Amino acid sequence: MSETKEHPRVVPYRYNVVAGSEEDAKKGSEGQVDIQIGKFDALPPSRAFLYIAACTGNIAAFTCGITLGWTSPVLPKLQDLSLSPLSEVVSVSDAGWIGSLLPLGASLGPFIVGAAADKIGRKKTLLLGNIPFIVGFLLNIMATNVYYLLVSRFICGVSVGLTFTVLPMYTGEIAEDEVRGTLGTYLQLFTVIGLLFSFVLGPYIPVTLFNAACIVVPSIFLVAFFFFIPESPSFLLSVGETDAAEQALMKLRNRSAPSEVREELQAMLVEVNKSLDSKGSFMDIFKSKGLLKAYLLSNGLLVFQQVSGINVVLFFAQTIFQDAGVAMKPELCTIMIGVVQVVFTGLTSGLIDKQGKRLLLMLSAVGMTVAQGGLAYYFYLKDSDSDVSAFTWLPIACLIGYIITFCLGFGPIPWAVMGEMFPANVKSVASMTTGATCWFLAFLLTKYFSAVVGLIGKAGSFGLFGGCCALAFAFVYKFLPETKGKSLQEIQDMLSGKS
């Protein structure tokens, strides 16, 4: 530890020397500092504000969850003229587009923010990217025909794609190494809380009132994030605003003196300067072994996330329960799924930095394989005119099992991995293309799920999803390294094969 006249002995992140002599400071060894009134703070600095900043930023993910879950309670009402605010019921084709236009818009969102995140910052990009949510919900309120809804779903999708690209970047840059994995899971946690919001309110209040309630959440985000949460220190350093970066880092680390964050700030500055000196394009990813490996791993995890069938389950949960003919009301089954998502995604947030990403992903893949296989078996029996009256519990159990295991791994972790795999010089372009691939695949799956069901049936469709989950296990087991507790630079060195 270094000693200075102003701070005789500073133990970063543990104790803060505020006064006292050099002799006093030397009395204890690291971890055994004698705590005296007026000489040392009695408690280590808190990470409370760091968690507050991450939670506030993830209110944007909450809004994403609302829009992702919106179709489940609303589509059945739009197909009932007595409940629909529109002048006529939506057709099956229009219902398919309402479900699929959001991921199509989300696939374009990353390209819109690719340059913005590096030019105006992570914070301003997230703020501007939240405005289309408000516009979209206003269009839903004013809707008199299906075209209002189609436009709304598309522009909300753009915001979803933008948020899922920039928010992992922001969270990864403000986090400390020890809690980066936990904070990275907040994206999925707040998303599923938003889904639950839609599942709980949507079925029980008029469509117009539900859309009005949806506007409240992005409005809160705009105010809270703008006024109270700082920009990413790494971005501020990249544009030469060293003093602002120092103040932001002090706030995020709950430090009162610049000297207490100087060491971390200097490490950030070295990394940022190195990245700026070698500013990369998309093609540069393919020139480096480490970057290529990071890109393939991030894309692979997000592709398997989508082909596990998650968006089909979320967008059409209520319809799936109706088709399965379960005894419980479909809307109650959907709420049950939403509660399970929140509980087990929250559990993952506590496990990820203890158990590691790799183990949780493999357990997740096994669980999803079994659940989708059980669902395929149920629909096989039902479609072959077998008596399934004794098995009406099976689709509920399978979908809940699927959601539990998805939330333990393939829900939150791929986004957390994307946020930590890339250095600053290619982070924006890599995140942009990776996010776009994920959402375009989600669009194809939601748009053409009905067509695939028509060809191979629900049993074949869910069986196909189960096979993809089995492949996901093999992918993680064979290729994904463990990054638990490693700094961003250590992760880059590991991917590049350096010691």
Side-chain angles (χ1 to χ4, degrees):
M1 299 294 175
S2 62
E3 298 184 10
T4 66
K5 291 182 179 179
E6 298 150 77
H7 293 273
R9 187 173 186 274
V10 177
V11 185
Y13 310 108
R14 301 186 67 174
Y15 298 97
N16 173 24
V17 180
V18 294
S21 67
E22 185 173 332
E23 183 180 353
D24 291 332
K26 289 180 178 178
K27 286 181 180 178
S29 60
E30 184 173 349
Q32 297 177 325
V33 179
D34 292 334
I35 300 174
Q36 302 176 31
I37 301 299
K39 304 238 178 139
F40 298 91
D41 291 339
L43 294 173
S46 169
R47 288 190 176 120
F49 187 80
L50 176 61
Y51 284 102
I52 290 170
C55 288
T56 305
N58 277 284
I59 296 174
F62 187 114
T63 310
C64 292
I66 292 173
T67 60
L68 289 167
W70 185 91
T71 51
S72 185
V74 171
L75 273 181
K77 292 184 177 182
L78 296 178
Q79 294 168 330
D80 183 340
L81 198 56
S82 65
L83 299 175
S84 175
L86 307 183
S87 56
E88 57 184 13
V89 297
V90 298
S91 65
V92 174
S93 175
D94 286 337
W97 279 111
I98 289 171
S100 61
L101 273 176
L102 187 137
L104 180 61
S107 70
L108 299 178
F111 293 104
I112 295 173
V113 303
D118 285 338
K119 288 185 178 179
I120 65 174
R122 283 57 162 142
K123 178 177 177 177
K124 289 179 181 177
T125 303
L126 284 169
L127 289 168
L128 291 173
N130 227 245
I131 294 174
F133 282 129
I134 296 175
V135 175
F137 291 130
L138 285 172
L139 285 173
N140 291 344
I141 292 171
M142 297 185 296
T144 56
N145 60 60
V146 72
Y147 297 107
Y148 283 84
L149 303 182
L150 296 177
V151 173
S152 167
R153 295 294 289 169
F154 180 80
I155 64 174
C156 283
V158 171
S159 280
V160 170
L162 182 152
T163 301
F164 271 68
T165 302
V166 180
L167 194 52
M169 294 166 56
Y170 178 79
T171 304
E173 289 173 1
I174 68 171
E176 296 179 59
D177 296 340
E178 294 83 357
V179 296
R180 182 175 292 107
T182 296
L183 296 187
T185 65
Y186 280 17
L187 177 71
Q188 181 70 13
L189 176 61
F190 278 75
T191 299
V192 298
I193 294 173
L195 283 162
L196 182 59
F197 179 94
S198 287
F199 293 165
V200 169
L201 282 187
Y204 302 109
I205 61 176
V207 174
T208 302
L209 183 58
F210 174 53
N211 284 301
C214 292
I215 293 179
V216 174
V217 178
S219 301
I220 291 173
F221 168 77
L222 288 175
V223 174
F225 198 63
F226 178 80
F227 285 106
F228 302 111
I229 307 303
E231 175 61 272
S232 156
S234 293
F235 169 75
L236 292 170
L237 288 173
S238 72
V239 293
E241 297 184 22
T242 307
D243 291 341
E246 183 178 78
Q247 291 301 313
L249 192 58
M250 286 171 58
K251 191 170 185 179
L252 290 165
R253 300 294 182 260
N254 195 29
R255 301 290 178 168
S256 57
S259 58
E260 295 173 295
V261 298
R262 199 158 288 153
E263 184 178 347
E264 184 178 2
L265 194 70
Q266 185 61 36
M268 281 186 180
L269 185 59
V270 170
E271 182 61 27
V272 166
N273 285 335
K274 185 168 68 172
S275 298
L276 291 175
D277 290 341
S278 57
K279 190 64 177 175
S281 65
F282 176 68
M283 295 309 298
D284 288 328
I285 293 173
F286 300 93
K287 299 176 183 177
S288 161
K289 175 185 175 182
L291 291 180
L292 179 59
K293 188 172 183 179
Y295 188 72
L296 292 175
L297 288 171
S298 297
N299 270 282
L301 290 178
L302 286 170
V303 165
F304 281 118
Q305 180 194 73
Q306 292 304 315
V307 297
S308 74
I310 184 59
N311 276 312
V312 170
V313 170
L314 296 181
F315 283 22
F316 305 110
Q318 198 161 314
T319 304
I320 290 171
F321 283 122
Q322 287 172 343
D323 291 345
V326 298
M328 191 183 298
K329 288 184 177 181
E331 58 269 27
L332 292 178
C333 295
T334 306
I335 291 172
M336 189 188 305
I337 283 182
V339 171
V340 169
Q341 280 186 295
V342 172
V343 171
F344 283 89
T345 303
L347 180 62
T348 303
S349 297
L351 287 175
I352 190 169
D353 286 316
K354 296 178 182 178
Q355 303 299 325
K357 300 179 183 67
R358 193 168 180 270
L359 174 62
L360 291 177
L361 283 168
M362 287 191 291
L363 291 174
S364 175
V366 170
M368 291 192 300
T369 302
V370 173
Q372 293 282 29
L375 205 57
Y377 177 68
Y378 175 83
F379 278 107
Y380 169 76
L381 293 177
K382 188 171 185 292
D383 293 343
S384 60
D385 296 324
S386 299
D387 182 12
V388 293
S389 57
F391 297 99
T392 53
W393 57 269
L394 185 58
I396 300 176
C398 287
L399 281 177
I400 289 177
Y402 170 80
I403 290 296
I404 288 173
T405 50
F406 178 83
C407 291
L408 282 176
F410 270 89
I413 293 177
W415 298 107
V417 169
M418 187 180 79
E420 68 181 13
M421 280 282 179
F422 302 105
N425 63 321
V426 295
K427 182 171 287 187
S428 291
V429 67
S431 299
M432 174 182 72
T433 53
T434 301
T437 300
C438 167
W439 287 110
F440 186 71
L441 185 56
F443 161 70
L444 293 177
L445 287 169
T446 52
K447 180 68 180 77
Y448 298 107
F449 175 67
S450 297
V452 172
V453 168
L455 289 174
I456 62 176
K458 282 191 173 66
S461 300
F462 288 112
L464 185 61
F465 289 146
C468 291
C469 294
L471 289 175
F473 173 87
F475 177 82
V476 173
Y477 179 79
K478 179 69 175 176
F479 300 112
L480 186 71
E482 182 54 71
T483 59
K484 178 179 68 172
K486 294 187 178 348
S487 69
L488 297 178
Q489 185 57 52
E490 288 172 334
I491 293 171
Q492 299 307 313
D493 292 341
M494 180 174 59
L495 292 173
S496 300
K498 298 177 182 177
S499 173

